[in-house]
Amino acid sequence: MAAVVVALALALALLGVLVVGLLRSHAEILKALHDLGVNLEDGADAAPPRRASARSRHAPARTAPGVPRPRSDGPLGDATDLTGTLPRGGAAHVAVAGVDHPTLLAFLSTGCGTCGTFWAELAEDPVRHLPDPSTRVVVITNGPDAESPAAVADLAPAGLVTLMSSEAWDDYGVPVSPYFILVDGPSGRVVGEGAGTSLEQVVDLLGKAMADVGTAAPATSARPLTRMGGQDRADRVDRELLAAGIEPGDPSLYPAPHASHAGDDRP
Amino acid sequence: MRSLADSGISVDLPPGWDGQIRVAGQGSATTARAASADAEELTGEGRVLHAASFALPPERGDYGSGAVELMGGSDVLVCLLEHEREAASTALFAREGIPRVEPAMFSPQSMQRSIAGMAGTQHFFQVAGRAFCLYVVVGSWRTRVPLVRVADRVAASIRITA
């Protein structure tokens, strides 16, 4: 009889431990969901997600294996243009500041496992993931001193500029690959940065960052990076001229007399 | 101004400009579309310089096909194309020194492939025994005066060594 009582007591204690463990696990899941802005209570509105800055004050950020942690000392600042070498030979300069479109800088390497996903995704029309279709995507690896140009050339997406520039990694303080930085062209400012396990995740992250700083992209770009037909081009030229206050017959539309015609009195 | 240099060619790029210096004929190596659109895709070990007031697409031919289609009315594209050294001894490349460009040189008919509203010009010359073609396109023939002024500043900043 005593043995049965002891056995039941042990079973009860074991069940108690299991219940406590389950409740604790459940609470942690709810807390994590709440941090992401999800509220499972009936009738409750979605809770606003905590800002990264608030979260970072309370708990260290956690990332998936292979994904670098966000920088704690990375204030968004001025962007710098990119200069480097091309994987198939040659040199290039890419302007990202003072241009009329945003630029997504994808800092990748040929050796990191997580980067493999991005090399593949970027090869398949990455702009379709982006909220602003005029966004230019530029892939940047370290320079030839740290990467094999042939290996980079093999992975380089055909539709994107791929630049090898250790200088760019230093300029932007890139902590590790993969890492993404979004630059607002007109202001020349970095408006978001971070990493993820997929391009969709990174774009979502950067989209929120843009919304946070009030630089959400317009639905349509002033200058879409698509090819235009002859009439479309002529219409656009007319619109740009009118916007600049230049109307038909404006003197600025006609060249100054050539030097050889200096004595010519034709109008 | 930001200087870009490679293979004995350098250029000063105005703010907001893209630039690339690459091996000639890479348009055909990376993209059949751009190469097929180019009237004369270069071959050999010559270099090609592209300087543009807009974002240069990676898929483009040596004469800028694939890029000129993206140009707006206020854009400028400067192409410097190196031909085989032997060409420097021919009459076509007899002129020495990088030419300057002016509005009167531009014509819609000078485009490699005519695009409504745009205009271009090209000139053959040699520097240090290297044979080149300078091909410049402006996004609007009607407003070519200020655009050519910018193009000329960029062309004037090009330096070539043997």
Side-chain angles (χ1 to χ4, degrees):
Chain A
M1 184 63 184
V4 173
V5 171
V6 169
L8 285 173
L10 284 174
L12 193 60
L14 185 60
L15 285 172
V17 169
L18 284 173
V19 168
V20 169
L22 282 172
L23 286 173
R24 182 173 178 178
S25 170
H26 186 65
E28 286 179 351
I29 291 170
L30 286 175
K31 182 173 179 296
L33 288 172
H34 183 74
D35 284 350
L36 293 171
V38 178
N39 192 341
L40 299 181
E41 292 178 16
D42 292 338
D45 294 330
R50 291 182 189 176
R51 295 293 180 91
S53 58
R55 184 167 59 237
S56 63
R57 282 200 298 269
H58 297 292
R62 287 183 290 185
T63 59
V67 177
R69 295 163 62 123
R71 289 187 294 173
S72 59
D73 61 343
L76 306 179
D78 291 333
T80 55
D81 289 347
L82 312 166
T83 300
T85 61
L86 297 166
R88 293 183 191 278
H93 174 83
V94 176
V96 300
V99 297
D100 60 1
H101 55 81
T103 305
L104 177 61
L105 310 179
F107 290 90
L108 303 179
S109 62
T110 58
C112 88
T114 312
C115 294
T117 303
F118 290 102
W119 284 112
E121 287 187 312
L122 289 171
E124 298 175 358
D125 190 18
V127 176
R128 66 190 160 88
H129 292 285
L130 305 175
D132 184 344
S134 73
T135 303
R136 183 186 196 185
V137 181
V138 179
V139 179
I140 305 133
T141 69
N142 266 305
D145 54 325
E147 288 275 12
S148 158
V152 175
D154 284 344
L155 291 170
L160 304 178
V161 172
T162 300
L163 199 60
M164 303 183 71
S165 174
S166 298
E167 181 187 0
W169 285 57
D170 292 340
D171 287 344
Y172 283 92
V174 176
V176 68
S177 61
Y179 205 77
F180 293 81
I181 292 176
L182 186 64
V183 176
D184 178 53
S187 68
R189 302 275 299 174
V190 174
V191 294
E193 61 181 283
T197 55
S198 68
L199 186 59
E200 189 175 359
Q201 193 178 57
V202 169
V203 168
D204 182 54
L205 174 74
L206 296 177
K208 287 174 181 171
M210 289 179 74
D212 281 349
V213 296
T215 57
T220 56
S221 167
R223 277 191 58 188
L225 297 177
T226 55
R227 292 169 189 181
M228 305 183 77
Q231 189 55 48
D232 290 339
R233 177 180 305 283
D235 291 344
R236 192 176 75 185
V237 169
D238 287 342
R239 284 196 303 273
E240 290 178 354
L241 288 170
L242 284 172
I246 300 173
E247 297 180 347
D250 191 292
S252 69
L253 297 175
Y254 303 99
H258 193 273
S260 60
H261 297 157
D264 196 335
D265 59 357
R266 286 179 298 181
Chain B
M1 289 280 187
R2 186 74 181 250
S3 186
L4 177 69
D6 188 76
S7 306
I9 300 171
S10 71
V11 64
D12 293 335
L13 299 169
W17 277 52
D18 266 21
Q20 284 194 14
I21 301 171
R22 68 183 190 192
V23 177
Q26 276 196 355
S28 57
T30 56
T31 159
R33 184 175 60 183
S36 64
D38 245 352
E40 295 178 44
E41 186 77 5
L42 299 177
T43 57
E45 292 302 309
R47 295 301 192 265
V48 173
L49 159 69
H50 287 158
S53 64
F54 56 98
L56 276 173
E59 296 184 343
R60 63 183 192 283
D62 291 340
Y63 277 89
S65 59
V68 290
E69 293 88 345
L70 303 177
M71 291 175 66
S74 57
D75 283 329
V76 175
L77 173 67
V78 176
C79 305
L80 179 73
L81 305 98
E82 183 177 15
H83 290 250
E84 294 174 348
R85 278 185 179 266
E86 293 73 30
S89 61
T90 65
L92 181 63
F93 295 90
R95 175 190 173 132
E96 290 196 17
I98 301 166
R100 305 294 295 265
V101 293
E102 57 185 56
M105 297 172 173
F106 283 75
S107 162
Q109 284 73 45
S110 296
M111 300 278 294
Q112 285 285 320
R113 201 158 46 89
S114 292
I115 297 178
M118 298 170 66
T121 186
Q122 67 175 341
H123 306 273
F124 298 91
F125 63 98
Q126 60 172 293
V127 173
R130 299 170 72 175
F132 290 94
C133 171
L134 177 69
Y135 176 56
V136 181
V137 180
V138 292
S140 169
W141 185 76
R142 284 185 289 181
T143 57
R144 63 191 181 281
V145 175
L147 301 180
V148 172
R149 201 174 298 137
V150 175
D152 184 53
R153 276 204 300 269
V154 173
S157 76
I158 296 173
R159 298 285 179 271
I160 299 169
T161 60

